[in-house]
Amino acid sequence: MLLEARKVTKRFGGVVALSDLDLQVEEQTIHSIIGPNGAGKTTFFNCVTGFLVPDEGEILLDSQPITGLRPDQIARLGIARTYQTIRLFRFLTVLDNVLIGLHPHVHYGILDAVIRSRRYHRSERAAAREARELLRYLGLAGKEFVVANNLSYGDQRRLEIARALALRPRLLLLDEPTAGMNPYETGQMITLIRRLRDERGMTILLIEHDMKVVMNISDLVTVLDFGEKIAEGKPAEVQANPLVIEAYLGRGAASGLGTIAAQAPRDESMPNASS
Amino acid sequence: MRRALTFGLIGSIVAWHLSLVGLVAAFAERWLIGQSLTFSYVVLLALILLVGYLTARRVSDWTGLAGAALAGLVVGLALWILALIVTEVNLRDAFVAASPSLAQILTFDRGVSVPSLAILLLIGAATGLIGGGIAWIPATGRRIVIGALSVTVLVGLLRDVLGPVLPPFLMRFLFSPGGGLSLPGAVIVLGLAIAIPVMRSGLRMQRVRQKGVLPARVLRRRRLALRALGVVFFVSFPLWAKLFLSNVADFVGLYILMGLGLNLVLGFAGLLDLGYVAFFAIGAYSMAVLTSPELGAFTLGFWTALPIAVAITVFSGILIGLPVLRMRGDYLAIATLGFGEIVRLLVLSDWLKPHLGGAQGVTRIARPVLGPFVIDRPQEYYYLILIGCGLGWFLSVRLRDSRIGRAWMAIREDEDVAQAMGINRVTAKLLAFATGASMGGLSGALFASLVNSVIPQSFSLLVSINVVALLVLGGIGSLPGVLVGALALVGLPELLREFQEYRLLVYGAVLIAMMIFRPAGLWPEETRVRELEEAAEEARETARTGVVAASQDGV
Ligand SMILES: Nc1ncnc2c1ncn2[C@@H]1O[C@H](COP(=O)(O)OP(=O)(O)O)[C@@H](O)[C@H]1O
Ligand SMILES: [Mg+2]
């Protein structure tokens, strides 16, 4: 088990964003978390990365507890993330964005920087090489000196992933990576996420609204509703789960899970939504 | 139309204000160009130009120009009416400046008559029209034109300062004996001020076109030549500059050093420190306490005391930083502001008087000794300060282009994400604070030795504000901006003592002009320019997509 959440609860005033959540992420898998808006998915990411501290429960990475550590400590332990709304360093160049991601892996001190010692040159060169390699891997080669903000939307999403990969993480958290993308870009993103698992042996925890994507690439799907896990299993199992369908139908098509809603009437095992 | 009248009226109010506070009358004898143009008229003309520009801005057809002319006309009319009122009614009890001579100035000695009205209306309209025309020039050209006009006015104003420095024949040629530029001098200065930036942008275009063709060697040689020129200029400065200029240069240098320090904190790491004067004060008082025989605690020499003073400042920077750097944004600003005041109150207090001298301060601070040679004249201190500034600059560049600088910028851009990238925000910020403090402390220690005394009044909130202001003026995060900002904010007021009375008025005017013409500062850093350009682009974009969305909704 790479990541394990045990009875994690997080409240915001009266709102229970996560309640008694148990979750286990296996190494080298793509594990999706789905659920209606406000189900607590992003809150879970924030708890894992240390930006929020759970009120109860604990989170373990490789069986070591990480609850209560600072975000930068957790990042150094190997958890990187992207954001639901893109959060690049918008006014820095593409290359600088990735170099900042490499920060924990560039080792030299303030004195090295001031006198530009051999160590400084060596580390900077190595970092630049690694950054360019990552950019190439993500199809951003040749855009090193473009200001991040001037990239196309799809490129910005990819750059955010490149920056996260620069941390050399073991676990990558992607928060709705295909939000706002057209079908072509979405297709590219699916390929990319698969390649990350298959070529780089990464473990990916994915929040995703697009059912096609989820069903397509997930090894395991966890469904949250009001902060509670209501189902978990292989994509097909989850899709057929009456609880899941109810959770979505109960709040109408606006939940963004139109695919399930549309399929629901054709599904024989589905109980009447109004009952 | 409405727009033109509104701007015309606002301009009129400003024109009345300038006249009634006495600015116009005070500089009616201040010739700028030959015997034809005084500073008073330049101020009023600049005002009308601005009014015309603002009226025509963002109006893309001829009505903009017509509106600009109309607005200028309104201001001209307002000036004539003011002249009329001043001659007919005695306002001198309320406004000292509302004298008949004001009316004479405003009407070109023609009295409040029909011809003078015609002249004023004509000049107003024509100037407004030119101002409107400026709004039509593309941005680069506009920057050059405005820059050239300001430089010409500035050179005219600085005649007395430049006089002793320039060779006499050049002086006689460029300047007129009555003050200000001679007519050919004005043409030459204006021409140069336009030609140089035009050539530079031409060169840049060429470079862009030849990208890859122009060898890096040539560029490097060009940069080296430029640097050598800079070094020669700065090193030789006290040799040809007079005592007064060296004095001014010393103060500008001390502010540059502080500016470089705060730039690390505010410009690179994005931490708004409003109490930066604290470090300046700690550096100065450390130097005083360590060397002055008056207090008798220590009587170290300058060179021994200097590193200790800097070390004390760095240490106090860390001490101050530890509690406040966990705060964000506004809270940090308030907390640092408080620390700045606390330091001033401490040195002022009777309680610490035996140790820090109280309200009278400390005198007889050590002078630097080099062998048999004692540094005690401003021209000699200049070199010490120059070395300090060079060090600060060097440190800034080296740190900026390293992982440390990148961490600072990441924190400045988005603190949360920076943390998610494994950056320890407290350490990174403390480092910025400590490095920034060292430069403030060095500046303070040099200051104490230069003026040979410290008094609490030298360390008021105003110093902090000035340092922040010079960064904003030059362009936050930009190293050349620190230089330009310090020259403009600290140097110019020293050189233009005659404006002392109107200092705040000038500050206000400059700030407004900056916001309109150079919102990113006089010499902005690249990213900052991009930032503002992007913001503008974005605003346009959302406006456009908003329209599209609306029209699609309609379908
Ligand atoms: N920082 C916060 N402060 C207060 N309430 C929050 C905060 N973050 C999330 N919430 C609330 O917690 C619930 C879960 O939000 P979130 O995790 O963003 O949902 P999801 O990502 O599944 O759409 C929502 O009701 C939201 O309003
Ligand atoms: Mg979310």
Side-chain angles (χ1 to χ4, degrees):
Chain A
M1 245 359 89
L2 182 61
L3 183 81
E4 198 177 343
R6 289 188 192 151
K7 301 222 168 297
V8 170
T9 299
K10 181 73 202 174
R11 299 182 204 90
F12 295 109
V15 181
V16 184
L18 290 175
S19 98
D20 266 349
L21 181 66
D22 285 314
L23 196 112
Q24 300 191 326
V25 183
E26 207 146 347
E27 204 135 356
Q28 284 210 41
T29 57
I30 297 174
H31 188 147
S32 296
I33 301 180
I34 63 170
N37 279 326
K41 307 181 295 292
T42 302
T43 303
F44 181 63
F45 271 23
N46 284 335
C47 288
V48 172
T49 50
F51 280 97
L52 293 173
V53 180
D55 298 319
E56 287 154 37
E58 60 177 351
I59 298 171
L60 304 116
L61 181 72
D62 254 349
S63 316
Q64 300 296 316
I66 56 169
T67 12
L69 293 185
R70 286 195 317 269
D72 54 295
Q73 293 173 315
I74 292 176
R76 280 161 184 269
L77 287 176
I79 299 182
R81 72 175 290 187
T82 66
Y83 296 84
Q84 186 168 352
T85 49
I86 301 177
R87 280 175 86 172
L88 289 170
F89 301 115
R90 291 168 55 206
F91 303 109
L92 304 182
T93 61
V94 168
L95 188 63
D96 277 342
N97 267 277
V98 181
L99 284 174
I100 291 172
L102 278 165
H103 184 86
H105 307 296
V106 186
H107 299 286
Y108 58 80
I110 184 164
L111 200 67
D112 291 303
V114 173
I115 62 169
R116 295 222 167 134
S117 65
R118 283 247 294 287
R119 193 191 168 99
Y120 164 87
H121 284 293
R122 201 169 346 107
S123 310
E124 283 290 305
R125 258 202 305 274
R129 201 176 322 117
E130 185 170 348
R132 280 166 194 273
E133 215 166 280
L134 272 173
L135 288 173
R136 198 161 336 112
Y137 188 75
L138 286 163
L140 291 167
K143 297 187 175 157
E144 285 84 358
F145 297 106
V146 179
V147 177
N149 204 33
N150 294 348
L151 290 176
S152 73
Y153 185 79
D155 279 351
Q156 294 197 12
R157 282 274 180 208
R158 267 192 293 280
L159 175 57
E160 216 188 4
I161 295 178
R163 186 181 65 182
L165 289 179
L167 274 167
R168 302 185 197 152
R170 307 173 57 199
L171 175 66
L172 181 62
L173 312 182
L174 300 175
D175 198 341
E176 303 196 21
T178 68
M181 283 189 166
N182 61 34
Y184 174 70
E185 290 172 323
T186 305
Q188 281 187 319
M189 186 56 74
I190 292 177
T191 319
L192 173 66
I193 296 173
R194 262 216 199 90
R195 280 174 65 203
L196 288 175
R197 178 194 56 190
D198 299 340
E199 295 175 13
R200 302 199 149 223
M202 303 223 33
T203 311
I204 292 156
L205 191 52
L206 174 75
I207 295 177
E208 186 50 67
H209 262 163
D210 188 333
M211 273 305 126
K212 282 200 296 297
V213 178
V214 172
M215 295 309 151
N216 203 332
I217 60 175
S218 309
D219 295 312
L220 201 68
V221 180
T222 300
V223 190
L224 294 190
D225 192 21
F226 290 119
E228 278 182 70
K229 177 151 87 177
I230 57 167
E232 188 166 67
K234 300 255 178 277
E237 296 166 19
V238 166
Q239 202 164 10
N241 189 319
L243 277 172
V244 178
I245 295 164
E246 195 193 295
Y248 283 110
L249 277 187
R251 254 149 282 155
S255 60
L257 282 158
T259 339
I260 283 193
Q263 283 173 354
R266 273 181 267 117
D267 198 323
E268 294 147 22
S269 65
M270 195 207 86
N272 193 336
S274 56
S275 68
Chain B
M1 190 66 196
R2 275 269 302 281
R3 194 182 158 85
L5 287 180
T6 316
F7 277 113
L9 279 179
I10 295 174
S12 308
I13 294 170
V14 176
W16 278 38
H17 178 75
L18 291 179
S19 308
L20 292 177
V21 297
L23 187 91
V24 170
F27 295 103
E29 300 291 309
R30 187 70 166 86
W31 298 104
L32 270 188
I33 297 175
Q35 297 284 321
S36 49
L37 197 56
T38 67
F39 186 65
S40 312
Y41 291 143
V42 168
V43 167
L44 291 175
L45 286 178
L47 172 68
I48 301 176
L49 278 179
L50 183 66
V51 167
Y53 169 77
L54 289 178
T55 313
R57 191 166 70 148
R58 298 215 197 93
V59 181
S60 52
D61 55 7
W62 62 271
T63 52
L65 281 185
L70 178 63
L73 192 95
V74 171
V75 181
L77 180 66
L79 285 173
W80 188 78
I81 293 175
L82 178 64
L84 181 70
I85 294 175
V86 170
T87 29
E88 297 299 318
V89 192
N90 185 2
L91 289 174
R92 301 198 70 162
D93 295 335
F95 303 101
V96 187
S99 63
S101 71
L102 176 64
Q104 292 213 323
I105 298 163
L106 291 179
T107 58
F108 306 102
D109 294 332
R110 282 190 175 74
V112 184
S113 59
V114 178
S116 70
L117 174 62
I119 293 176
L120 269 174
L121 290 182
L122 197 69
I123 292 182
T127 315
L129 192 66
I130 296 174
I134 290 178
W136 278 42
I137 310 174
T140 357
R142 183 165 63 224
R143 205 168 298 154
I144 292 174
V145 169
I146 293 171
L149 286 175
S150 331
V151 165
T152 312
V153 171
L154 205 60
V155 172
L157 283 176
L158 289 178
R159 173 187 183 274
D160 295 338
V161 178
L162 293 172
V165 177
L166 291 176
F169 75 92
L170 201 61
M171 183 69 204
R172 268 196 305 281
F173 177 67
L174 284 182
F175 294 97
S176 77
L181 289 159
S182 65
L183 200 56
V187 172
I188 288 175
V189 171
L190 191 64
L192 279 180
I194 289 181
I196 292 175
V198 166
M199 263 166 54
R200 273 192 53 188
S201 71
L203 277 179
R204 195 172 311 138
M205 296 281 264
Q206 198 184 346
R207 209 177 316 166
V208 169
R209 240 181 287 124
Q210 296 179 337
K211 204 169 194 174
V213 182
L214 203 67
R217 194 162 36 86
V218 175
L219 287 180
R220 203 173 316 136
R221 207 181 300 153
R222 210 178 273 170
R223 208 170 43 227
L224 264 179
L226 218 63
R227 267 190 209 163
L229 214 70
V231 168
V232 169
F233 175 83
F234 284 120
V235 169
S236 67
F237 182 82
L239 302 182
W240 43 267
K242 292 290 169 306
L243 175 67
F244 170 64
L245 273 189
S246 295
N247 239 326
V248 173
D250 283 354
F251 277 95
V252 173
L254 290 173
Y255 266 99
I256 290 176
L257 195 46
M258 279 196 274
L260 288 171
L262 186 63
N263 188 50
L264 283 180
V265 179
L266 174 59
F268 291 174
L271 308 168
L272 183 49
D273 177 357
L274 288 182
Y276 193 69
V277 68
F279 301 137
F280 186 62
I282 292 171
Y285 267 91
S286 302
M287 181 53 94
V289 172
L290 288 171
T291 66
S292 172
E294 215 166 77
L295 297 171
F298 310 89
T299 44
L300 302 177
F302 174 87
W303 296 112
T304 328
L306 189 65
I308 301 178
V310 173
I312 292 175
T313 318
V314 169
F315 183 70
S316 57
I318 294 173
L319 228 57
I320 293 176
L322 266 177
V324 302
L325 286 179
R326 282 161 214 279
M327 307 178 186
R328 292 186 186 220
D330 305 342
Y331 297 105
L332 178 73
I334 305 283
T336 49
L337 187 75
F339 270 109
E341 280 302 283
I342 288 173
V343 169
R344 194 178 61 86
L345 291 177
L346 277 184
V347 297
L348 194 60
S349 70
D350 283 334
W351 171 53
L352 286 171
K353 189 168 168 146
H355 309 289
L356 299 174
Q360 283 90 47
V362 184
T363 57
R364 291 167 61 200
I365 294 165
R367 302 277 193 190
V369 182
L370 279 176
F373 190 70
V374 180
I375 293 180
D376 55 0
R377 290 187 305 155
Q379 291 99 311
E380 297 157 359
Y381 270 103
Y382 171 89
Y383 287 105
L384 270 186
I385 295 168
L386 184 64
I387 292 171
C389 289
L391 263 176
W393 189 290
F394 178 78
L395 215 59
S396 300
V397 171
R398 287 289 163 99
L399 289 178
R400 184 191 61 191
D401 299 337
S402 74
R403 68 192 283 269
I404 298 149
R406 285 198 295 268
W408 287 340
M409 296 192 197
I411 288 175
R412 180 188 69 195
E413 301 276 315
D414 191 327
E415 199 166 328
D416 287 339
V417 180
Q419 270 189 294
M421 296 292 119
I423 294 167
N424 183 335
R425 64 186 180 106
V426 175
T427 333
K429 286 178 176 183
L430 262 185
L431 194 57
F433 229 58
T435 327
S438 74
M439 296 184 199
L442 180 61
S443 181
L446 291 175
F447 169 78
S449 176
L450 169 71
V451 300
N452 208 15
S453 68
V454 287
I455 43 169
Q457 286 94 300
S458 312
F459 307 100
S460 67
L461 177 63
L462 200 65
V463 178
S464 298
I465 291 176
N466 266 336
V467 182
V468 174
L470 80 85
L471 286 188
V472 173
L473 193 67
I476 287 187
S478 149
L479 297 180
V482 174
L483 202 95
V484 175
L487 277 175
L489 199 81
V490 185
L492 277 186
E494 289 295 320
L495 299 181
L496 299 172
R497 278 287 168 85
E498 52 189 320
F499 293 99
Q500 200 123 59
E501 219 178 310
Y502 305 101
R503 197 163 173 158
L504 289 178
L505 193 72
V506 174
Y507 272 12
V510 168
L511 273 184
I512 291 173
M514 285 276 302
M515 278 192 285
I516 296 174
F517 294 107
R518 307 224 60 166
L522 291 172
W523 193 320
E525 211 235 345
E526 280 168 75
T527 34
R528 185 78 191 126
V529 182
R530 285 196 295 254
E531 228 166 295
L532 291 167
E533 277 169 3
E534 298 319 327
E537 186 66 32
E538 209 166 39
R540 243 170 285 149
E541 204 84 293
T542 47
R544 211 177 307 141
T545 50
V547 171
V548 173
S551 62
Q552 278 174 345
D553 281 352
V555 170

